[in-house]
Amino acid sequence: MRDAAPTTIYLKDYTPFGFTVDDVHLTFDLSPNATRVTSRITFSPNPDAADHTFFLHGEELKLIRASIDGQPVLPNVTDKGLTCDVPNAPFVWEAEVEVDPAGNTALEGLYMSNGMYCTQCEAEGFRKITYYPDRPDVMSTFTVRINGTEKVMLSNGNPTDQGDGFAEWHDPWPKPAYLFALVAGDLINHPDRFTTKSGKDVELNIWVRPGDEGKCAFGMEALKKSMTWDEDVYGREYDLDVFNIVAVDDFNMGAMENKGLNIFNSSCVLASPETSTDDNFERIEAIIAHEYFHNWTGNRITCRDWFQLCLKEGLTVFRDAQFTADMRSEPVKRIRDVIDLRGRQFPEDNGPLSHPVRPESFVEINNFYTATVYEKGAELIGMLKTLVGDEAYAKALDLYFDRHDGDAATIEDWLQVFADATGRDLSQFKRWYSQAGTPRVAVSEDYSEGTYTLTLKQSTPATPGQDTKQPQVIPVAVGLLGPNGDEVAETRILELTEAEQTFTFDGLAAKPTPSILRGFSAPVILEHDTSSAQRAFLLSHDTDPFNRWDAGRSLARETLLTMITDGAAPSGAYLDGVQAVLRDDTLDPAYRALMLGLPGQSELAAALHDGGTTPDPQAIWSATETLRQAQAQHMQDLLPRLHGEAQVSAPYLPDADQSGRRALGSATLSLITRLDGGALAAAEYAKADNMTLQLSALGCLIRAGKGEAELQAFYDQWKDDRLVIDKWFGLQVSLADPEHTATVAQTLTQHADFNWKNPNRFRAVFGALAMNHAGFHHASGTAYELLAEWLIQLDPVNPQTTARMCSAFQTWRRYDEGRQTLIGAQLDRIAATPQLSRDVTEMITRIRGA
Ligand SMILES: [Zn+2]
């Protein structure tokens, strides 16, 4: 669907739909190019609505016939939907439409993937299936009949009947159309059962293509763990007789929480030790949990409109993070989440795409499935919990489920629940939902006669459409350490509510060292002028594992920045401090592996830009390489021992213990490769019996400029496994040296297996290109040009994936004039493409900052 003039939709314009839907009956007659969809829907005038215009959304549909109460009608049809005169009383609407699933490459609505029918309706895909009020506040029960020759035909809810050539499903829980799903194909299942706390027996299935049945066991275990956890921690039980998960190869997102029928990108559910890394396993466990948790936070309580997307996503991301922390290691999970937040959300919040967690307008809602809505949205829930305490949080959540079960709710409803459960005024907290940008918290301190004073000053930079900001409620967790490293004041939550505020700590025998923002208690940037000695002190003594790690991180950042700007040598305080932590074998190997990580190059570019220096991507890359080499040399005596300790002799398990050791093994192997030229990595590649070890050794060899034979061997071994071949594509681009990154990517696009219409494969190459900071920002501009060329090619086929990939350009204003000119030219080129989609038009307009 193309728009001549995309329209902007505003939160303030919300009005309820003029009708309620009492029930929906759908019949699908499946056919690849001409599927018939017959709908029978009972509408009643909505007494809460002022406007009773009967408008049904519908796009790319061929209307065959329509009737009201059995009488044929001729509605007024446009490319957006239809209007029709209707009675001022309840009536039955019937329509028959034809759609083309095989021709649907946008992967929205009903489409085909490898001969299998599937759907994706969030946010506004149902309108490509039939005419309907496609908005989340219109909820109804659905009865679905599928006529077809496929072996397996699934929809939402419970199965009610099936026979030769048909299957019938009924979903008793009223739901919005975005939760509708249908799957039909030659699938086989990995079955299991689960008994809920109250004794309800539930049938569980993971449906996959033949050949993938050996990769379902882990996902099934993750599902059962999620079901138990949600009962234990949130008191939420499953509410249907069957829960189906289907793996699909062509999918724009990670997974979708359709009621009773979750549809997953196969990369987010299929797992085996031979083909999946430890990180894949952890991600799969988290995504299965996330989609399952949506059954309550998203499905039973849904969103009134798409501006409230963070209501379901922020809360559900927060819940899945709690789950992972419980299943694995809490500090490790927190650190990884903050790395991700700083790597993806902070650049968004500090650039032209910046928007509030609850946006106030959009052109294309698909462009707002962002790190800000999801990850910052989850941080907001975490802050609320910190502010009210664990007990009050649990009480508020119980009230939320009691009060809003069956509702299409808003952020106002959510905050009111907390206000009612705790008696707290949350009007200032609400600014977190409406003000964009990452707050800065500047710290100054004073000590005299036993009293330590901490002054915190908050400010948030201007963001598009928001020049001035008001102070937010920022929970700052602070502990104090004495001169010998003992904790002299336990963690206390300081509530920063004003622009500037002072907090005092009494009865201290000596000037303490503060540990500020423990556990990363708020998504802010801390501005604290401390000495390297003070950071090194926290790195060796802080009792808060997050801040201890962050002290190492900030030392690394500081040394890299002075290496880049002043040509300084790598800091001894950093090298010694990290080595001391690595030597401590009482610490979790996963935690020690994280200690060896360095800030991302894009994060360094942002820090330079914030400090008034134009970042030079090549200089950032060189400094990072130099520091890595210095670290390898500095630790050369320790590395073999650490690497040896990290070896796992037991049979492979993707659990926290083993994967932590493999993470340390991989981090140390990467440093050892800098000393031995790849000898150990080649030996480990040769004997690797799981994907984690195989990929880690291969990565080391590529980084060392070797591994050509191994890359070929890897391809030959895995050429029939599409998910592993995605890794093969991605690795080569993400690890290419900056001089050759664009060439490597360009060459791979010529490979016979580069199926660019598959979103996973497209992202494997171009996501990796955008992530290779120095390669993407090579001064020649060839990578910019290559990406733009492919975005232009993909847009008519799949606008959603194209639009998301445009964000690779979002930080362009950080760089020098030369690079800005090069990127600007590519943005202009994309913008000038005839028939550009609404999705991409909006993204490019925002990035250009028009
Ligand atoms: Zn979600």
Side-chain angles (χ1 to χ4, degrees):
M1 183 59 51
R2 308 285 160 187
D3 287 290
T7 44
T8 303
I9 298 162
Y10 296 92
L11 166 63
K12 62 178 168 54
D13 292 345
Y14 172 83
T15 53
F17 184 53
F19 301 83
T20 58
V21 176
D22 303 328
D23 59 45
V24 176
H25 288 256
L26 298 173
T27 302
F28 289 81
D29 293 292
L30 296 177
S31 170
N33 289 108
T35 290
R36 288 284 172 108
V37 184
T38 309
S39 57
R40 199 176 80 241
I41 306 165
T42 313
F43 288 99
S44 300
N46 179 358
D48 296 333
D51 180 0
H52 293 276
T53 308
F54 185 70
F55 172 76
L56 303 181
H57 295 103
E59 292 179 10
E60 293 166 39
L61 303 172
K62 190 160 118 194
L63 180 63
I64 308 293
R65 61 177 178 88
S67 69
I68 289 177
D69 291 332
Q71 299 302 310
V73 290
L74 282 174
N76 178 25
V77 179
T78 70
D79 61 356
K80 293 268 158 240
L82 60 75
T83 50
C84 192
D85 290 335
V86 297
N88 186 22
F91 62 92
V92 177
W93 161 266
E94 279 189 61
E96 185 176 351
V97 302
E98 190 178 291
V99 294
D100 176 9
N104 180 353
T105 58
L107 315 182
E108 209 184 22
L110 176 66
Y111 65 94
M112 298 197 80
S113 170
N114 289 324
M116 150 188 174
Y117 294 88
C118 62
T119 55
Q120 170 57 34
C121 294
E122 186 177 2
E124 298 179 334
F126 192 75
R127 63 190 62 181
K128 294 182 169 180
I129 293 176
T130 192
Y131 289 98
Y132 196 73
D134 188 8
R135 37 187 292 169
D137 59 341
V138 174
M139 298 166 83
S140 172
T141 56
F142 279 64
T143 304
V144 175
R145 181 185 169 99
I146 310 166
N147 297 320
T149 54
E150 281 65 25
K151 245 167 66 184
V152 176
M153 298 189 282
L154 310 170
S155 190
N156 313 89
N158 297 319
T160 48
D161 195 7
Q162 62 174 328
D164 198 18
F166 79 97
E168 282 182 4
W169 292 80
H170 175 69
D171 184 358
W173 298 102
K175 66 169 178 287
Y178 83 86
L179 291 172
F180 170 81
L182 177 150
V183 169
D186 178 19
L187 299 169
I188 45 177
N189 66 331
H190 176 95
D192 209 326
R193 303 202 80 80
F194 183 84
T195 307
T196 68
K197 241 182 193 149
S198 64
K200 186 183 175 67
D201 188 34
V202 183
E203 178 189 326
L204 311 175
N205 292 300
I206 297 181
W207 297 92
V208 296
R209 278 167 47 190
D212 286 337
E213 58 272 32
K215 294 182 176 179
C216 300
F218 179 80
M220 184 57 85
E221 286 313 305
L223 174 61
K224 290 192 288 183
K225 279 193 235 171
S226 308
M227 295 176 87
T228 303
W229 187 90
D230 214 16
E231 290 181 347
D232 291 346
V233 179
Y234 280 85
R236 300 295 113 200
E237 283 191 26
Y238 188 60
D239 54 7
L240 289 165
D241 303 338
V242 52
F243 187 83
N244 286 314
I245 287 177
V246 183
V248 174
D249 289 337
D250 299 284
F251 204 67
N252 281 332
M253 315 209 221
M256 177 61 210
E257 71 265 22
N258 317 299
K259 182 80 187 186
L261 177 53
N262 288 3
I263 298 183
F264 273 63
N265 186 318
S266 52
S267 71
C268 297
V269 56
L270 300 179
S272 79
E274 296 73 32
T275 59
S276 312
T277 63
D278 291 329
D279 285 348
N280 294 151
F281 277 102
E282 180 172 337
R283 187 169 136 79
I284 286 166
E285 184 178 80
I287 295 182
I288 293 212
H290 178 97
E291 306 308 334
Y292 174 73
F293 296 158
H294 267 314
N295 191 51
W296 276 92
T297 51
N299 301 3
R300 288 285 286 261
I301 304 178
T302 194
C303 302
R304 187 193 70 176
D305 52 67
W306 290 119
F307 296 103
Q308 322 294 329
L309 181 58
C310 63
L311 178 74
K312 76 176 177 80
E313 294 304 343
L315 178 54
T316 307
V317 170
F318 180 73
R319 274 152 50 71
D320 83 54
Q322 285 183 297
F323 169 77
T324 299
D326 281 358
M327 295 297 125
R328 293 165 180 263
S329 149
E330 189 175 347
V332 167
K333 172 63 178 164
R334 188 62 186 141
I335 291 166
R336 293 175 73 145
D337 281 352
V338 174
I339 291 173
D340 179 62
L341 192 79
R342 286 175 175 161
R344 295 196 301 120
Q345 199 275 325
F346 280 19
E348 187 169 271
D349 227 357
N350 293 290
L353 297 178
S354 182
H355 56 275
V357 170
R358 181 169 68 174
E360 267 141 36
S361 69
F362 61 77
V363 172
E364 171 50 65
I365 184 58
N366 286 327
N367 289 335
F368 285 85
Y369 284 72
T370 60
T372 297
V373 170
Y374 279 64
E375 274 71 35
K376 189 177 179 182
E379 292 296 318
L380 269 48
I381 311 291
M383 283 191 287
L384 254 183
K385 183 163 180 281
T386 302
L387 288 167
V388 304
D390 293 352
E391 228 170 278
Y393 173 82
K395 209 171 114 193
L397 265 288
D398 285 344
L399 181 61
Y400 179 62
F401 292 122
D402 277 355
R403 186 185 284 177
H404 291 293
D405 186 11
D407 285 355
T410 61
I411 290 302
E412 282 73 14
D413 294 330
W414 164 254
L415 290 175
Q416 191 59 47
V417 160
F418 274 79
D420 292 348
T422 66
R424 228 185 133 98
D425 177 2
L426 290 165
S427 47
Q428 191 186 359
F429 184 83
K430 198 178 166 193
R431 288 177 190 157
W432 277 106
Y433 286 96
S434 58
Q435 292 192 161
T438 308
R440 271 53 170 181
V441 176
V443 180
S444 55
E445 41 184 334
D446 192 40
Y447 174 78
S448 97
E449 294 171 21
T451 299
Y452 174 74
T453 310
L454 202 55
T455 301
L456 304 178
K457 230 168 150 171
Q458 62 165 304
S459 63
T460 303
T463 51
Q466 292 186 343
D467 291 338
T468 55
K469 319 269 176 169
Q470 291 177 293
Q472 292 172 205
V473 186
I474 304 178
V476 182
V478 175
L480 301 177
L481 302 179
N484 65 355
D486 287 348
E487 190 161 272
V488 292
E490 278 184 16
T491 305
R492 181 177 138 193
I493 307 297
L494 310 180
E495 285 186 28
L496 177 60
T497 56
E498 292 160 35
E500 181 173 342
Q501 228 168 318
T502 295
F503 303 88
T504 55
F505 300 76
D506 294 322
L508 297 162
K511 183 176 192 287
T513 299
S515 164
I516 306 173
L517 208 67
R518 286 186 154 182
F520 202 68
S521 58
V524 301
I525 293 172
L526 208 56
E527 293 172 345
H528 189 194
D529 254 333
T530 48
S531 63
S532 312
Q534 208 169 0
R535 286 172 218 237
F537 179 82
L538 289 171
L539 173 59
S540 53
H541 296 294
D542 204 326
T543 48
D544 180 74
F546 176 84
N547 265 14
R548 189 177 184 189
W549 167 82
D550 209 26
R553 193 73 161 189
S554 65
L555 272 175
R557 190 180 304 116
E558 180 187 77
T559 187
L560 282 163
L561 294 179
T562 55
M563 288 167 72
I564 294 160
T565 53
D566 308 341
S571 136
Y574 169 70
L575 296 174
D576 289 339
V578 167
Q579 169 148 277
V581 174
L582 267 290
R583 273 188 201 286
D584 182 353
D585 52 23
T586 62
L587 292 170
D588 180 0
Y591 183 77
R592 286 188 282 161
L594 286 168
M595 270 294 175
L596 278 176
L598 295 182
Q601 293 175 39
S602 175
E603 193 180 325
L604 294 168
L608 286 165
H609 176 75
D610 272 1
T613 305
T614 302
D616 172 359
Q618 180 65 33
I620 294 172
W621 182 82
S622 301
T624 302
E625 286 294 301
T626 305
L627 183 58
R628 276 275 175 244
Q629 191 64 35
Q631 200 166 32
Q633 268 145 5
H634 194 79
M635 293 177 60
Q636 58 181 315
D637 296 335
L638 177 62
L639 287 171
R641 196 194 92 200
L642 275 180
H643 189 70
E645 280 169 18
Q647 300 307 306
V648 177
S649 52
Y652 181 93
L653 281 176
D655 62 5
D657 172 49
Q658 280 197 14
S659 56
R661 284 161 69 191
R662 280 187 290 269
L664 184 58
S666 165
T668 48
L669 180 64
S670 149
L671 292 173
I672 290 168
T673 303
R674 289 176 183 272
L675 302 173
D676 76 357
L680 182 61
E684 297 208 345
Y685 182 85
K687 69 175 172 54
D689 59 0
N690 62 65
M691 184 49 64
T692 309
L693 294 180
Q694 198 177 16
L695 211 60
S696 134
L698 183 59
C700 289
L701 290 170
I702 295 174
R703 236 184 268 112
K706 305 198 170 150
E708 218 164 293
E710 286 82 359
L711 258 178
Q712 185 58 48
F714 188 92
Y715 177 80
D716 292 339
Q717 183 181 357
W718 296 115
K719 57 182 183 297
D720 296 325
D721 190 305
R722 60 212 180 277
L723 296 177
V724 180
I725 292 300
D726 286 338
K727 298 183 204 303
W728 182 81
F729 274 94
L731 198 68
Q732 295 180 68
V733 182
S734 62
L735 298 181
D737 74 74
E739 280 308 312
H740 301 104
T741 310
T743 315
V744 170
Q746 154 79 29
T747 308
L748 285 172
T749 61
Q750 307 303 313
H751 194 280
D753 289 341
F754 184 67
N755 170 13
W756 58 276
K757 291 182 183 173
N758 175 271
N760 289 3
R761 189 72 31 107
F762 191 89
R763 276 191 294 255
V765 171
F766 290 104
L769 178 66
M771 294 292 284
N772 185 327
H773 183 255
F776 183 60
H777 291 288
H778 190 273
S780 64
T782 48
Y784 303 147
E785 202 180 324
L786 181 68
L787 179 61
E789 180 185 313
W790 279 91
L791 292 177
I792 291 168
Q793 181 170 332
L794 185 64
D795 185 49
V797 170
N798 187 334
Q800 221 180 94
T801 293
T802 311
R804 265 173 218 174
M805 299 287 309
C806 289
S807 61
F809 293 118
Q810 69 175 316
T811 56
W812 69 302
R813 292 289 189 197
R814 270 185 202 159
Y815 299 97
D816 54 89
E817 220 173 288
R819 286 183 173 85
Q820 287 196 35
T821 306
L822 290 166
I823 298 178
Q826 297 308 321
L827 294 173
D828 291 349
R829 179 181 165 205
I830 299 172
T833 306
Q835 303 275 296
L836 198 66
S837 68
R838 177 176 63 208
D839 308 57
V840 173
T841 304
E842 181 186 26
M843 288 297 275
I844 297 293
T845 306
R846 288 166 66 206
I847 291 169
R848 292 208 292 185

